[in-house]
Amino acid sequence: MSVSGLNRIEKKAAFSLASVFGVRMLGLFMILPVFAIYGEQLVGYSPIWLGLAIGAYGLTQALLQIPMGILSDKYGRKPVILAGLFVFLIGSIVAAMSETIYGVVIGRAIQGMGAIASAVLALAADLSREEQRPKVMATIGMFIGLSFTFAMILGPIVAESFGLSGLFWFTGLLTILAMLMIKFMVPYSVNKAPRGDNVALPEQISTLIRHPQLSRLNWGVFILHMVLTACFVTLPKQFVESGLALESHWKIYLPTLLGSFFLMVPFMIIAIKKQKEKAMFSAAVALFALSLFLLWLLPLGLGSLIFSIVLFFTAFNYLEATMPSILSRIAPAGVKGSVMGIYSSSQFLGAFVGGIIGGFIASQFGEHMIFLAMGIATVIWLILTFGMQQLKKSKSFSFATTITCEERADEIAELLINMPGVIEATLVHTEAVAYLKVDEKTVNLAEIKALLQSQT
């Protein structure tokens, strides 16, 4: 039967995966507010190496998200996630033990090789029904936003007490915590999609990249994270120039980011309750562009900075939470890992490009021009959103089962996916629940119930 709210498995998946994602992103974000200052102590420091150190993880993440997504489709989400976290841990140790900027760049690049974002988002989609998926993805998005908030607070504190290496040792400890959560907290699922569609082939990747609706989201997340990274080449300095010392920046970030979470709620209510998802998405992109132009136009001052940053993060948090949900709903069945891999590659490539472009603009045209350039890029994104289509809805159901064996769950999932009208079938054998995504016009629910009941 269908359920109107998150069930026990969805709650468990949402908060455990969001915690894993948040803990990992916390380690990556903590470098942003402090590296420009503490990195000067490293041998070989220069502005260009600063940009590389900030963006290096984005490049390796972008290169490996698609392969990791394909591997998660083929070998399972959790093994790929655990392997990625282990690689991330190695990168943290390398960066922590480095006394040169070059070693930190190598460590950050190795961190990026632990590209688990696509597998985590795909697992979240596996463990949630379509009508509840926006809530699960929004939870992950909110935890990412909260990790950013805590990173702005903890980064300067940890760096002041233990130095730059202390940041990376702290990141390593967080990674071990994330591995334990994946192993013992996150539910396990068996997911089956139509035959021949569950393992992505090279020609499928090419088709997914060219998909008109998916490509709009991929370009969107590229621009979103390009803007974020580029802006943080100069934002900490803007606060200092407006009279706020570095160690006090958290006093701005904390209320600003928390306030932006509350301000994004009306966007979510209108989008979901009024079924205006496309309109609210475009409105959020427009607000994002407005905040950047205000940062460029308004005279430097603490009040104007705070006002613009509130608008900036209200739009950013809404878009960050919304896009994975939309992506998972339009992704072809059976290749969610590959679709999420393309999406995550675009996201992290944007972070890498943002760091490089931000440093280039700052050195050639002045740091304030970063906001103008990023505002123009966001207007281009706004134009792309006008071609987005309204989301088509299918119906999702959940059924209780007594199947507790992985092999049997795999067999039943295979039978279900070959039944008429079944778009996707997921059996969580550890929780004895079956999720089905179906076309109500062609599905025979009685036949499905009969198959499941025959296994009791």
Side-chain angles (χ1 to χ4, degrees):
M1 62 179 178
S2 60
V3 181
S4 58
L6 291 178
N7 60 31
R8 183 168 59 89
I9 296 174
E10 288 165 338
K11 290 177 182 178
K12 186 177 181 181
F15 286 101
S16 59
L17 289 174
S19 298
V20 169
F21 220 127
V23 162
R24 182 172 172 277
M25 296 307 291
L26 176 63
L28 289 173
F29 286 145
M30 284 174 65
I31 195 176
L32 290 179
V34 301
F35 195 75
I37 296 175
Y38 289 92
E40 293 179 352
Q41 303 169 8
L42 296 170
V43 177
Y45 172 86
S46 70
I48 188 62
W49 282 102
L50 164 68
L52 285 173
I54 292 177
Y57 85 92
L59 178 61
T60 48
Q61 284 269 355
L63 293 174
L64 292 176
Q65 284 298 337
I66 292 176
M68 293 287 273
I70 295 173
L71 288 174
S72 77
D73 275 346
K74 188 172 183 179
Y75 296 111
R77 314 298 189 200
K78 291 180 72 170
V80 169
I81 294 171
L82 286 170
L85 286 171
F86 181 73
V87 172
F88 186 85
L89 175 60
I90 294 175
S92 300
I93 294 172
V94 169
M97 298 180 67
S98 299
E99 297 182 355
T100 68
I101 188 73
Y102 318 114
V104 172
V105 169
I106 292 172
R108 293 277 287 175
I110 295 173
Q111 282 183 323
M113 293 172 67
I116 65 167
S118 59
V120 170
L121 293 175
L123 180 56
D126 287 346
L127 293 170
S128 58
R129 293 157 297 159
E130 184 174 7
E131 67 268 22
Q132 301 303 326
R133 200 163 293 153
K135 299 177 184 177
V136 174
M137 295 299 182
T139 301
I140 293 175
M142 289 179 67
F143 271 58
I144 293 173
L146 286 173
S147 71
F148 186 87
T149 302
F150 286 117
M152 297 301 103
I153 300 170
L154 289 175
I157 294 173
V158 174
E160 184 177 358
S161 301
F162 303 102
L164 195 61
S165 64
L167 277 177
F168 293 112
W169 286 120
F170 185 68
T171 298
L173 292 175
L174 292 176
T175 306
I176 294 173
L177 175 62
M179 293 174 73
L180 292 173
M181 287 192 289
I182 286 291
K183 180 66 176 177
F184 298 108
M185 291 179 59
V186 178
Y188 182 84
S189 70
V190 173
N191 179 262
K192 284 288 179 180
R195 188 177 301 278
D197 191 42
N198 60 334
V199 178
L201 302 173
E203 57 267 28
Q204 290 176 315
I205 292 293
S206 176
T207 300
L208 292 172
I209 290 175
R210 296 194 308 269
H211 190 289
Q213 296 305 309
L214 292 175
S215 65
R216 282 178 166 82
L217 292 173
N218 294 331
W219 276 110
V221 79
F222 174 89
I223 293 173
L224 184 69
H225 284 264
M226 178 183 70
V227 170
L228 178 70
T229 308
C231 286
F232 266 89
V233 170
T234 184
L235 267 179
K237 297 180 182 178
Q238 298 285 321
F239 281 124
V240 171
E241 291 178 13
S242 66
L244 191 66
L246 179 63
E247 60 269 19
S248 298
H249 285 191
W250 69 269
K251 298 177 182 178
I252 297 297
Y253 290 127
L254 180 58
T256 296
L257 287 162
L258 292 179
S260 70
F261 283 124
F262 289 102
L263 291 174
M264 68 180 269
V265 171
F267 281 86
M268 299 188 72
I269 292 175
I270 295 173
I272 296 173
K273 299 294 185 181
K274 304 293 184 180
Q275 296 184 344
K276 299 287 186 180
E277 289 177 284
K278 178 183 175 182
M280 287 300 99
F281 189 88
S282 296
V285 176
L287 181 63
F288 198 51
L290 174 63
S291 70
L292 292 164
F293 288 125
L294 289 176
L295 285 167
W296 173 60
L297 287 170
L298 294 179
L300 182 63
L302 197 55
S304 61
L305 274 174
I306 293 173
F307 177 74
S308 301
I309 292 301
V310 168
L311 298 183
F312 180 95
F313 281 110
T314 298
F316 178 86
N317 289 331
Y318 177 80
L319 293 166
E320 184 81 355
T322 301
M323 284 196 287
S325 172
I326 297 174
L327 193 78
S328 67
R329 291 162 66 185
I330 64 178
V335 290
K336 284 195 294 289
S338 301
V339 170
M340 292 295 182
I342 297 170
Y343 175 84
S344 296
S345 293
S346 303
Q347 175 185 19
F348 289 110
L349 185 61
F352 172 72
V353 171
I356 300 300
I357 289 180
F360 174 77
I361 293 174
S363 63
Q364 298 295 319
F365 307 103
E367 294 184 357
H368 214 62
M369 293 300 293
I370 292 174
F371 300 125
L372 175 60
M374 295 300 104
I376 293 172
T378 307
V379 169
I380 295 173
W381 180 16
L382 177 62
I383 295 171
L384 288 175
T385 67
F386 297 152
M388 292 177 63
Q389 297 178 357
Q390 294 290 349
L391 296 176
K392 297 180 180 179
K393 292 187 176 181
S394 58
K395 190 71 173 179
S396 296
F397 294 87
S398 63
F399 299 91
T401 75
T402 58
I403 302 171
T404 56
C405 170
E406 180 179 351
E407 291 76 12
R408 190 57 180 158
D410 190 84
E411 293 175 7
I412 298 303
E414 186 72 36
L415 292 173
L416 287 168
I417 199 59
N418 286 293
M419 298 177 74
V422 177
I423 301 172
E424 192 168 345
T426 300
L427 267 70
V428 186
H429 65 87
T430 57
E431 305 286 351
V433 173
Y435 291 142
L436 274 74
K437 179 179 177 181
V438 303
D439 179 354
E440 279 195 298
K441 295 181 179 179
T442 57
V443 73
N444 187 332
L445 290 178
E447 187 178 353
I448 291 172
K449 292 178 181 178
L451 174 61
L452 292 172
Q453 289 172 0
S454 68
Q455 308 306 316
T456 59

